[in-house]
Amino acid sequence: MNDPAPQPAKRRVLRVAIVTADPVRRAGLAAIVMEAGHAVSDDAAGADVVLADGVAPDAAARAVVLGGDDENQPGLLPRNAAPEQIDAALRAVAAGLTVRTTQTQGPVFDAIPELEQNLLTPREVEVLAAIGNGLSNKAVARQLGISQHTVKFHVEALLRKLGAASRAEAVHQGLRQRLIEM
Amino acid sequence: MAAPTQDALTQLSDALAARAAAAAGLVASVHPPHSRPRSGILWRPDVVIGSEQVFPKTDTAEIVFADGRHVAATLVGRDRGTNIVALRLETPVEVARPAAAEPELGGLALTLGAAPSGAPTVRLGIVRGLGPAWHSLAGGQIDRRISLDLRIGHAEEGGPVLDAAGQLLGMSTGGPGGRALVIPTSTIERVLDPLLAAGRIERGWLGVALHPVALLPDAAQGFQAQNRGLMVMQVAPDGPCAKAGVLVGDILVAIDGMPASRPREIARRFGPDSLGRQIALQIIRSGAPQTVMATITPRPQG
């Protein structure tokens, strides 16, 4: 044992076929794939996973599609996905998993929401708006002229009423989903 | 043993295939410049409609039909409220649009889209839910709530949805969770002529973003029966509410004396006929009731 530092588990090198008509885009994606430690393959049929722009060549292949909207594909990422997201998606799809981003994909036509339960109080809405602006509990307390203890109390009530696990999720569940423009 | 032609499943399959083939002429692949093709319906010989929410900002598009014809088209109107975009063809194309049909809960719904080549794509679903008229987030009134039991991609939505008899339920639209909704044929017919004439459908606007809130009993002074209101979160600069002096943090409790606790009830008051009307907004500001007057203006587009 000459190596003193413990090594992380060896990560699998994937053969990745890149499918895009744009040579510049192809070069960019190839760089991301190789930077992540994978090998670029020209053989879509023999590759472990296909990385495609917009439309995948064959629905049967394991593919990560950037900017696509075909829900039958195992991997769907936005066109401007980060390199870490592309790497994670390639590994996940090669392992037989389905990948989607947590952000809703594109537009959704829907009715004006009608809430019957878990209505927030005006003060809770003010606290939610403040944390939506990225303020800390301390800053929220200062802005609303209440104690930090009270802010904490309101945040706990918010998380409970909205069924949210985090402040970010509460902002998403609350303000983003319930705001009605008239 | 039954002969193969009498087998119920084969008959169903043949009937579906016949419906899809009969509807092929209705389907249009809409190619906006520099963006991905979308699906549309040849609604009139010179008008193709599609789904507004997935249609890029453009003035022109090329329409490709299943028979291979390519026809240039101009965008003549878009309405976010009912999710309809209308394009006028430079050369009319004959169309035999099926009659409108009323949806039945659980009835089959053949949902067509267009591949980039113009060839139709088909999905089979059923009418999963039916509801009364509803208002979209952008303020449009939709005559019925029709939801299907299938998911629909952005490239497919905007195509025709047919019932088992091959009659037209309406236009497919991507709803919550990617599930397909149907904009009913009657809504499209109601909106299309004004849309073609003016390029847009104007609806009333207050220029505020509202969040529902619970009112404590002592806060709802003068509005005792009411345990909810709408808190003003944003005020559009120079909008009707800004001009009326409405402030962020005000809680709207009534409009013209009618409770303003339910957004869907309010939406009804802001149809195309509301423009220019003066309304009284009853608000609670710093715990005290007040009334301010606002004049409804057209909702900005985009």
Side-chain angles (χ1 to χ4, degrees):
Chain A
M1 296 290 177
N2 297 332
D3 197 344
Q7 291 292 306
K10 184 95 177 155
R11 303 192 79 184
R12 186 179 161 206
V13 175
L14 300 173
R15 284 165 296 143
V16 180
I18 298 173
V19 178
T20 171
D22 177 355
V24 178
R25 177 85 170 147
R26 185 187 168 77
L29 293 176
I32 289 172
V33 166
M34 288 186 290
E35 180 68 24
H38 305 300
V40 175
S41 160
D42 290 327
D43 173 20
D48 295 311
V49 57
V50 171
L51 179 60
D53 222 6
V55 183
D58 178 3
R62 283 180 172 171
V64 174
V65 182
L66 302 172
D69 55 16
D70 179 357
E71 285 289 332
N72 297 315
Q73 292 296 341
L76 280 185
L77 288 180
R79 195 180 142 78
N80 59 354
E84 310 83 73
Q85 290 179 313
I86 293 176
D87 178 33
L90 290 171
R91 291 181 187 280
V93 169
L97 303 179
T98 298
V99 174
R100 298 287 184 273
T101 56
T102 49
Q103 282 88 28
T104 47
Q105 299 266 324
V108 169
F109 195 74
D110 201 2
I112 295 168
E114 197 76 275
L115 296 161
E116 299 301 334
Q117 289 162 356
N118 295 335
L119 271 190
L120 306 180
T121 66
R123 188 57 111 185
E124 286 163 355
V125 173
E126 285 172 343
V127 171
L128 186 61
I131 63 177
N133 287 333
L135 299 189
S136 65
N137 280 4
K138 197 172 175 178
V140 174
R142 204 178 308 124
Q143 179 177 313
L144 299 180
I146 53 181
S147 76
Q148 279 192 61
H149 181 77
T150 308
V151 172
K152 213 173 149 191
F153 175 80
H154 286 310
V155 170
E156 277 163 16
L158 278 170
L159 296 180
R160 192 175 62 245
K161 283 189 181 179
L162 297 171
S166 67
R167 295 157 70 99
E169 195 185 338
V171 171
H172 183 78
Q173 296 286 335
L175 282 183
R176 305 261 159 80
Q177 310 268 315
R178 301 183 178 201
L179 211 54
I180 300 132
E181 289 180 37
M182 282 287 167
Chain B
M1 285 273 285
T5 49
Q6 290 166 323
D7 173 76
L9 203 54
T10 310
Q11 281 181 4
L12 172 67
S13 177
D14 289 348
L16 290 170
R19 296 281 182 258
L26 268 187
V27 173
S29 177
V30 184
H31 294 238
H34 318 299
S35 18
R36 248 172 264 139
R38 301 301 186 194
S39 297
I41 310 173
L42 180 60
W43 197 262
R44 296 176 184 172
D46 62 338
V47 176
V48 164
I49 65 161
S51 169
E52 198 275 340
Q53 66 178 348
V54 295
F55 205 77
K57 296 203 185 325
T58 177
D59 295 326
T60 60
E62 186 175 45
I63 316 283
V64 182
F65 293 98
D67 62 8
R69 263 185 288 189
H70 289 233
V71 181
T74 315
L75 191 143
V76 283
R78 57 194 308 161
D79 180 39
R80 206 148 70 89
T82 53
N83 195 38
I84 296 169
V85 60
L87 300 115
R88 196 179 301 276
L89 301 178
E90 283 182 7
T91 317
V93 173
E94 67 285 0
V95 57
R97 178 155 53 86
E102 281 297 308
E104 281 187 86
L105 187 66
L108 292 183
L110 218 54
T111 305
L112 285 86
S117 66
T121 61
V122 190
R123 287 180 192 263
L124 177 64
I126 62 172
V127 176
R128 174 179 181 265
L130 273 182
W134 56 289
H135 281 85
S136 71
L137 276 168
Q141 193 191 318
I142 319 290
D143 296 349
R144 287 198 84 167
R145 176 91 177 182
I146 310 171
S147 58
L148 305 182
D149 69 334
L150 50 83
R151 286 171 197 276
I152 194 160
H154 296 159
E156 286 173 296
E157 67 173 276
V161 181
L162 308 172
D163 69 1
Q167 295 188 309
L168 191 57
L169 296 176
M171 180 188 81
S172 66
T173 287
R179 286 207 183 78
L181 299 172
V182 182
I183 305 299
T185 303
S186 60
T187 304
I188 298 168
E189 290 282 40
R190 175 167 54 78
V191 165
L192 194 54
D193 276 323
L195 187 59
L196 291 172
R200 53 192 275 185
I201 306 292
E202 291 195 331
R203 298 195 175 80
W205 186 58
L206 278 178
V208 277
L210 304 165
H211 194 289
V213 289
L215 292 179
L216 302 170
D218 59 335
Q221 302 166 37
F223 308 96
Q224 292 89 343
Q226 205 171 315
N227 59 2
R228 47 196 291 165
L230 296 167
M231 190 172 193
V232 176
M233 304 303 293
Q234 290 158 22
V235 181
D238 301 321
C241 275
K243 287 181 179 153
V246 172
L247 302 175
V248 169
D250 288 351
I251 298 169
L252 181 64
V253 285
I255 297 177
D256 288 340
M258 302 288 289
S261 54
R262 293 177 195 278
R264 289 181 191 174
E265 283 168 16
I266 300 185
R268 256 179 241 141
R269 310 170 66 89
F270 291 88
D273 57 343
S274 68
L275 302 177
R277 190 184 295 158
Q278 203 178 49
I279 53 168
L281 304 175
Q282 278 116 321
I283 57 174
I284 297 173
R285 177 178 297 169
S286 308
Q290 287 197 18
T291 299
V292 297
M293 300 302 292
T295 304
I296 301 173
T297 66
R299 182 189 277 252
Q301 305 284 302

